[in-house]
mmCIF file of all heavy atoms in Angstrom:
data_model
loop_
_atom_site.group_PDB
_atom_site.id
_atom_site.type_symbol
_atom_site.label_atom_id
_atom_site.label_comp_id
_atom_site.label_asym_id
_atom_site.label_seq_id
_atom_site.Cartn_x
_atom_site.Cartn_y
_atom_site.Cartn_z
ATOM 1 N N ARG J 145 -11.795 3.513 10.269
ATOM 2 C CA ARG J 145 -12.559 4.369 11.185
ATOM 3 C C ARG J 145 -12.381 5.845 10.825
ATOM 4 O O ARG J 145 -13.341 6.618 10.812
ATOM 5 C CB ARG J 145 -12.145 4.111 12.634
ATOM 6 C CG ARG J 145 -12.569 2.749 13.159
ATOM 7 C CD ARG J 145 -12.294 2.604 14.649
ATOM 8 N NE ARG J 145 -10.897 2.786 15.002
ATOM 9 C CZ ARG J 145 -9.949 1.839 14.881
ATOM 10 N NH1 ARG J 145 -10.265 0.656 14.427
ATOM 11 N NH2 ARG J 145 -8.705 2.092 15.237
ATOM 12 N N MET J 146 -11.153 6.226 10.522
ATOM 13 C CA MET J 146 -10.888 7.618 10.152
ATOM 14 C C MET J 146 -11.586 7.964 8.837
ATOM 15 O O MET J 146 -12.173 9.046 8.704
ATOM 16 C CB MET J 146 -9.376 7.849 10.032
ATOM 17 C CG MET J 146 -8.634 7.733 11.357
ATOM 18 S SD MET J 146 -6.842 7.788 11.133
ATOM 19 C CE MET J 146 -6.604 9.559 10.906
ATOM 20 N N LEU J 147 -11.529 7.039 7.870
ATOM 21 C CA LEU J 147 -12.183 7.283 6.584
ATOM 22 C C LEU J 147 -13.687 7.443 6.743
ATOM 23 O O LEU J 147 -14.315 8.250 6.053
ATOM 24 C CB LEU J 147 -11.875 6.142 5.596
ATOM 25 C CG LEU J 147 -10.473 6.141 5.002
ATOM 26 C CD1 LEU J 147 -10.214 4.834 4.257
ATOM 27 C CD2 LEU J 147 -10.268 7.332 4.082
ATOM 28 N N SER J 148 -14.254 6.674 7.659
ATOM 29 C CA SER J 148 -15.691 6.769 7.909
ATOM 30 C C SER J 148 -16.059 8.184 8.361
ATOM 31 O O SER J 148 -17.058 8.755 7.902
ATOM 32 C CB SER J 148 -16.098 5.744 8.966
ATOM 33 O OG SER J 148 -17.452 5.863 9.270
ATOM 34 N N VAL J 149 -15.250 8.759 9.225
ATOM 35 C CA VAL J 149 -15.495 10.133 9.698
ATOM 36 C C VAL J 149 -15.245 11.117 8.557
ATOM 37 O O VAL J 149 -16.047 12.019 8.303
ATOM 38 C CB VAL J 149 -14.608 10.461 10.923
ATOM 39 C CG1 VAL J 149 -14.767 11.920 11.340
ATOM 40 C CG2 VAL J 149 -14.927 9.525 12.077
ATOM 41 N N TRP J 150 -14.132 10.953 7.840
ATOM 42 C CA TRP J 150 -13.766 11.858 6.741
ATOM 43 C C TRP J 150 -14.836 11.867 5.650
ATOM 44 O O TRP J 150 -15.204 12.917 5.142
ATOM 45 C CB TRP J 150 -12.408 11.439 6.183
ATOM 46 C CG TRP J 150 -11.929 12.216 4.993
ATOM 47 C CD1 TRP J 150 -11.539 13.528 4.972
ATOM 48 C CD2 TRP J 150 -11.775 11.733 3.661
ATOM 49 N NE1 TRP J 150 -11.142 13.880 3.704
ATOM 50 C CE2 TRP J 150 -11.272 12.791 2.877
ATOM 51 C CE3 TRP J 150 -11.990 10.495 3.061
ATOM 52 C CZ2 TRP J 150 -10.994 12.659 1.523
ATOM 53 C CZ3 TRP J 150 -11.711 10.352 1.711
ATOM 54 C CH2 TRP J 150 -11.226 11.430 0.952
ATOM 55 N N ARG J 151 -15.331 10.671 5.307
ATOM 56 C CA ARG J 151 -16.355 10.579 4.256
ATOM 57 C C ARG J 151 -17.647 11.269 4.666
ATOM 58 O O ARG J 151 -18.444 11.644 3.815
ATOM 59 C CB ARG J 151 -16.617 9.115 3.906
ATOM 60 C CG ARG J 151 -15.462 8.489 3.128
ATOM 61 C CD ARG J 151 -15.700 7.025 2.846
ATOM 62 N NE ARG J 151 -14.581 6.455 2.106
ATOM 63 C CZ ARG J 151 -14.026 5.290 2.371
ATOM 64 N NH1 ARG J 151 -14.504 4.533 3.366
ATOM 65 N NH2 ARG J 151 -13.014 4.849 1.650
ATOM 66 N N GLY J 152 -17.854 11.445 5.961
ATOM 67 C CA GLY J 152 -19.055 12.105 6.458
ATOM 68 C C GLY J 152 -18.930 13.619 6.573
ATOM 69 O O GLY J 152 -19.877 14.293 6.983
ATOM 70 N N THR J 153 -17.764 14.164 6.224
ATOM 71 C CA THR J 153 -17.589 15.618 6.316
ATOM 72 C C THR J 153 -18.306 16.311 5.166
ATOM 73 O O THR J 153 -18.580 15.701 4.129
ATOM 74 C CB THR J 153 -16.095 16.019 6.301
ATOM 75 O OG1 THR J 153 -15.505 15.570 5.073
ATOM 76 C CG2 THR J 153 -15.348 15.433 7.488
ATOM 77 N N LYS J 154 -18.592 17.581 5.370
ATOM 78 C CA LYS J 154 -19.320 18.366 4.369
ATOM 79 C C LYS J 154 -18.513 18.475 3.073
ATOM 80 O O LYS J 154 -19.047 18.337 1.986
ATOM 81 C CB LYS J 154 -19.616 19.759 4.936
ATOM 82 C CG LYS J 154 -20.420 20.641 4.032
ATOM 83 C CD LYS J 154 -20.726 21.974 4.707
ATOM 84 C CE LYS J 154 -21.481 22.876 3.737
ATOM 85 N NZ LYS J 154 -21.729 24.182 4.317
ATOM 86 N N ASP J 155 -17.219 18.740 3.186
ATOM 87 C CA ASP J 155 -16.342 18.904 2.020
ATOM 88 C C ASP J 155 -15.041 18.170 2.336
ATOM 89 O O ASP J 155 -14.259 18.620 3.166
ATOM 90 C CB ASP J 155 -16.091 20.386 1.760
ATOM 91 C CG ASP J 155 -15.227 20.651 0.531
ATOM 92 O OD1 ASP J 155 -14.611 19.706 0.002
ATOM 93 O OD2 ASP J 155 -15.179 21.807 0.094
ATOM 94 N N ARG J 156 -14.804 17.073 1.665
ATOM 95 C CA ARG J 156 -13.615 16.255 1.956
ATOM 96 C C ARG J 156 -12.302 16.955 1.628
ATOM 97 O O ARG J 156 -11.252 16.555 2.109
ATOM 98 C CB ARG J 156 -13.674 14.944 1.171
ATOM 99 C CG ARG J 156 -14.777 14.030 1.583
ATOM 100 C CD ARG J 156 -14.702 12.763 0.775
ATOM 101 N NE ARG J 156 -15.928 11.992 0.916
ATOM 102 C CZ ARG J 156 -16.181 10.890 0.252
ATOM 103 N NH1 ARG J 156 -15.298 10.421 -0.604
ATOM 104 N NH2 ARG J 156 -17.296 10.249 0.431
ATOM 105 N N VAL J 157 -12.365 17.971 0.803
ATOM 106 C CA VAL J 157 -11.142 18.659 0.388
ATOM 107 C C VAL J 157 -10.796 19.799 1.337
ATOM 108 O O VAL J 157 -9.638 19.998 1.684
ATOM 109 C CB VAL J 157 -11.284 19.182 -1.069
ATOM 110 C CG1 VAL J 157 -10.042 19.961 -1.492
ATOM 111 C CG2 VAL J 157 -11.530 18.022 -2.026
#
Side-chain angles (χ1 to χ4, degrees):
R145 291 187 302 279
M146 293 172 78
L147 285 169
S148 177
V149 175
W150 176 69
R151 288 177 180 136
T153 60
K154 183 177 177 183
D155 182 347
R156 294 182 194 175
V157 177

